[in-house]
Amino acid sequence: MSATPQKNRATRRVLAAAAGLATMGALVAAMPAGAQDRGDGHGHGHGHKPRTVDVQLLSFNDLHGNLEPPAGSAGNVSETQPDGTVKAIPAGGVEYLATSLRTARKGNPYSVTAAGGDMVGASPLLSGLFHDEPTIEALNGLGLDVSAVGNHEFDEGAAELARLQNGGCHPVEGCYEKGKKFKGADFPYLAANVTKEKTGRPLLKPYTVWKKNGVKIGFIGVTLEGTPDIVTANGVKGLKFHDEVETINKYARELDRKGVKSIVALIHEGGAPASTSYNYDCDSPGAGDGISGPIVDIAKGITPKVDALVTGHTHQAYVCTVPDPAGKPRMVTSASSFGKLYTDTTLTYDRRTKDIVRTSVKSANHIVTRHPDRSAKDMTDLITRWNTLAAPIAGKPQGWISADINGRGSTAPEKPLGNVIADAQLEGLAPADKGGAEVAFMNPGGIRADLVHKASGGEGDGVVTYGEAFTVQPFTNMMNVVDLTGAQLVTALQQQVSGANEASPKILQVSRGLTYTLDLTKTGAARVVTDTIKLNGAAIDPAKSYRVAMNEFLAGGGDGFAALGQGTNKLVGASDLDLFNAYLAAHSTATAPLAPPATDRITVIQ
């Protein structure tokens, strides 16, 4: 999902600029040993080999460093029951994901595990505090064979991505455990459509070939072409992002020439099914009829040489067949997010043609259930080890809440936690010496969790710990206050629902005092009813200058908000996380906790 990038973590130390892109070349030069051949060596004996063999493809996407089960509504999966009602089922956590994958592999001698990107980035404190080393370690333990990069793999730039792949201690913060050096990923990260501006060469390997007993399956990995629009400039400096379809078709031809006829594309871009239930049939009434969004056009453009698409980015769950350019159905899957689901796909491999029998492909999503007896001990031990290191920072109380304050788990345009965050930013930056802010905007994709009333550890119900606040605001973006005209403010609000955001609106969370009507029965910019936009009861004056607070991602025009990137007289303030924690401290006590705010700033007509 689009969101602001992770700059630095609890220590606030900014990454040294010198790290830059110095180690970019290492991404291509040093790949994990055996990345090309990750077979387990289980054979069928020396007798006659059957013509076809079933290859199990297990896949998931958008883990975002959620090693522990995600809290609150963001940790639920929607399941439609036989009677048509929808049930929320708690899911996720790598202890349970590991068991689910290991159980699924039993009885499947040909099994390969792939991911659709955003394994790291926007991570909870347990992983984020340590620059996602714990997540890479967990993925190694899960037996991941290959992953596409997502936009969040670029949050800290190409040099840090190189370190996650190849290992080595953090250039600023060093090694986290005495006597232990970070080993890096055992699996290859693929980024076929990302090249270095200076040389035009791929940043990472574009593809890898999984081999076992003569069976060969090629994996091509791409991230969304629009990554530079949703990651700050420093994260993608010196890189070019290319069209997903053209890139996949190019490397599919190359694999085909090399005799690899079975090909899976790992694509960090996705769609929106008509239902949020994971078991919704998105091939009803016809193939792919129940899904919309960017992945549909991408799927329709990718060469028939590619046999299946594993996708992500939108955090949705779907198993659909979208017709390829030849009109034949082809499997397109996504497994929600945060490790709550995994996809099990059967690819029937024909030894004679070396291709997948497309008509035999079957796929289904499965819930990663949290039964206590299904927790994998090695993952529990990993979580315990890193939690011990994080505890001195993670457990510090920041404030108190009287009930859940939903952010990530809210599907409404205006989210209660969005209001709290925007108010925190306005309050912290309103003083004249702090920027003189009159209004604040928060991008919805930057709100990564809910504030949950139930205790996550031993802190007690209602206590918001540093770790919980960090999970909500993990990027530690510096705040900016800029001058924008009233006309630019109106344009920015219109950009929520038009241009790049028309198909999938991104509704900014606004601070108290700003009100307007959003008419979703209309199309494009007309959805924002301009004569209803008011600040503290007064109509916005197009010619007047206003002081506007926002994080540096929005201030750079991120998420399609070009108007917000036109600000002048910039003042750089504290980080978003610091302002959030300061607000919690100022507005709550154990006896007077912060209540969920009303959501009455945006009037929605549907």
Side-chain angles (χ1 to χ4, degrees):
M1 302 290 282
S2 61
T4 47
Q6 254 165 299
K7 282 255 315 262
N8 205 350
R9 326 290 173 132
T11 57
R12 292 305 182 286
R13 295 199 291 267
V14 178
L15 282 174
L21 301 176
T23 56
M24 279 176 59
L27 280 163
V28 176
M31 293 302 299
Q36 293 285 359
D37 191 349
R38 292 288 301 274
D40 297 323
H42 301 303
H44 278 305
H46 301 289
H48 174 71
K49 286 183 177 178
R51 175 163 170 176
T52 62
V53 58
D54 282 348
V55 177
Q56 178 188 56
L57 171 62
L58 300 175
S59 56
F60 58 98
N61 50 277
D62 296 276
L63 180 65
H64 290 288
N66 279 266
L67 302 182
E68 296 177 294
S73 55
N76 291 337
V77 169
S78 295
E79 180 181 64
T80 300
Q81 305 301 301
D83 64 0
T85 59
V86 177
K87 183 179 178 182
I89 300 174
V94 295
E95 295 162 281
Y96 308 104
L97 178 59
T99 299
S100 295
L101 295 175
R102 289 164 187 171
T103 303
R105 289 176 189 134
K106 288 177 181 174
N108 289 284
Y110 293 83
S111 184
V112 57
T113 304
D118 275 7
M119 294 295 98
V120 301
S123 305
L125 187 80
L126 175 61
S127 186
L129 183 63
F130 307 107
H131 295 272
D132 282 313
E133 289 181 21
T135 296
I136 297 297
E137 185 182 330
L139 292 170
N140 291 343
L142 287 175
L144 185 61
D145 291 295
V146 58
S147 180
V149 293
N151 52 288
H152 281 280
E153 266 81 14
F154 293 93
D155 280 353
E156 293 189 37
E160 177 63 3
L161 177 52
R163 190 181 75 86
L164 291 179
Q165 176 73 86
N166 301 319
C169 297
H170 192 271
V172 175
E173 296 179 20
C175 298
Y176 295 112
E177 295 179 287
K178 193 172 181 180
K180 279 191 179 179
K181 183 181 174 185
F182 175 56
K183 293 178 180 176
D186 288 345
F187 55 91
Y189 261 124
L190 305 180
N193 65 329
V194 186
T195 58
K196 292 179 265 190
E197 279 182 351
K198 285 185 178 177
T199 64
R201 291 175 58 82
L203 173 68
L204 290 147
K205 289 176 57 154
Y207 60 80
T208 190
V209 180
W210 179 86
K211 302 174 187 174
K212 183 167 179 185
N213 297 341
V215 174
K216 289 187 208 174
I217 298 180
F219 288 88
I220 302 168
V222 297
T223 189
L224 70 158
E225 185 181 7
T227 291
D229 301 326
I230 54 175
V231 172
T232 55
N234 281 340
V236 293
K237 191 175 180 182
L239 304 176
K240 286 191 77 171
F241 292 77
H242 304 273
D243 182 85
E244 302 96 334
V245 174
E246 290 174 12
T247 303
I248 291 168
N249 289 349
K250 169 186 169 182
Y251 287 111
R253 287 192 298 271
E254 187 172 313
L255 282 166
D256 187 57
R257 285 196 303 270
K258 291 183 172 183
V260 179
K261 307 295 183 183
S262 298
I263 303 171
V264 175
L266 309 175
I267 307 171
H268 192 70
E269 179 59 290
S275 165
T276 56
S277 290
Y278 89 97
N279 55 342
Y280 164 70
D281 179 9
C282 58
D283 281 340
S284 176
D289 284 347
I291 189 169
S292 59
I295 200 61
V296 177
D297 287 339
I298 290 172
K300 288 178 177 176
I302 289 173
T303 171
K305 293 180 192 297
V306 175
D307 299 295
L309 314 183
V310 172
T311 73
H313 187 56
T314 56
H315 291 203
Q316 302 299 308
Y318 47 85
V319 173
C320 304
T321 52
V322 178
D324 69 12
K328 294 180 180 176
R330 176 169 53 195
M331 196 62 74
V332 180
T333 69
S334 175
S336 184
S337 64
F338 300 171
K340 294 180 289 188
L341 298 176
Y342 71 94
T343 312
D344 190 335
T345 302
T346 301
L347 302 172
T348 301
Y349 182 91
D350 187 323
R351 291 183 185 275
R352 195 174 300 168
T353 64
K354 299 179 181 177
D355 208 348
I356 300 300
V357 182
R358 196 93 78 71
T359 53
S360 298
V361 175
K362 297 182 183 68
S363 189
N365 276 325
H366 300 279
I367 297 178
V368 175
T369 52
R370 301 180 194 167
H371 293 305
D373 58 348
R374 287 180 59 82
S375 61
K377 185 179 183 303
D378 58 330
M379 293 295 154
T380 305
D381 291 346
L382 181 152
I383 289 169
T384 301
R385 199 178 91 238
W386 287 101
N387 261 333
T388 302
L389 287 174
I393 293 169
K396 289 181 179 175
Q398 303 299 310
W400 291 263
I401 56 175
S402 64
D404 288 0
I405 305 180
N406 284 344
R408 195 75 185 181
S410 168
T411 56
E414 181 184 349
K415 306 172 193 306
L417 191 50
N419 288 357
V420 172
I421 291 169
D423 288 351
Q425 294 176 354
L426 176 62
E427 183 171 296
L429 300 171
D433 62 336
K434 302 292 186 186
E438 300 167 80
V439 63
F441 291 134
M442 175 64 195
N443 56 309
I447 306 168
R448 304 306 300 186
D450 303 331
L451 277 186
V452 179
H453 185 264
K454 183 177 171 59
S456 60
E459 76 277 10
D461 291 350
V463 178
V464 180
T465 65
Y466 185 91
E468 290 165 341
F470 182 99
T471 299
V472 170
Q473 293 263 264
F475 301 109
T476 317
N477 270 301
M478 305 313 290
M479 292 298 300
N480 289 184
V481 186
V482 299
D483 285 345
L484 287 172
T485 66
Q488 288 169 325
L489 272 184
V490 171
T491 299
L493 292 174
Q494 291 172 329
Q495 286 171 346
Q496 300 175 111
V497 288
S498 63
N501 295 328
E502 181 159 5
S504 182
K506 291 188 174 74
I507 306 303
L508 294 165
Q509 307 299 287
V510 299
S511 55
R512 65 166 57 93
L514 185 73
T515 56
Y516 70 96
T517 296
L518 189 64
D519 187 348
L520 297 179
T521 66
K522 296 180 178 173
T523 57
R527 291 167 170 171
V528 174
V529 185
T530 51
D531 60 7
T532 66
I533 304 171
K534 293 181 180 178
L535 182 59
N536 301 319
I540 294 289
D541 181 347
K544 185 183 169 186
S545 180
Y546 296 85
R547 292 293 282 168
V548 183
M550 64 194 103
N551 60 46
E552 60 193 327
F553 170 68
L554 282 177
D559 263 357
F561 291 102
L564 297 181
Q566 296 167 356
T568 57
N569 297 325
K570 179 169 75 174
L571 183 142
V572 178
S575 75
D576 50 8
L577 181 60
D578 280 346
L579 293 181
F580 184 47
N581 283 330
Y583 186 85
L584 291 171
H587 291 270
S588 68
T589 64
T591 54
L594 181 70
T599 50
D600 54 4
R601 300 169 191 184
I602 306 172
T603 301
V604 181
I605 300 172
Q606 290 181 312

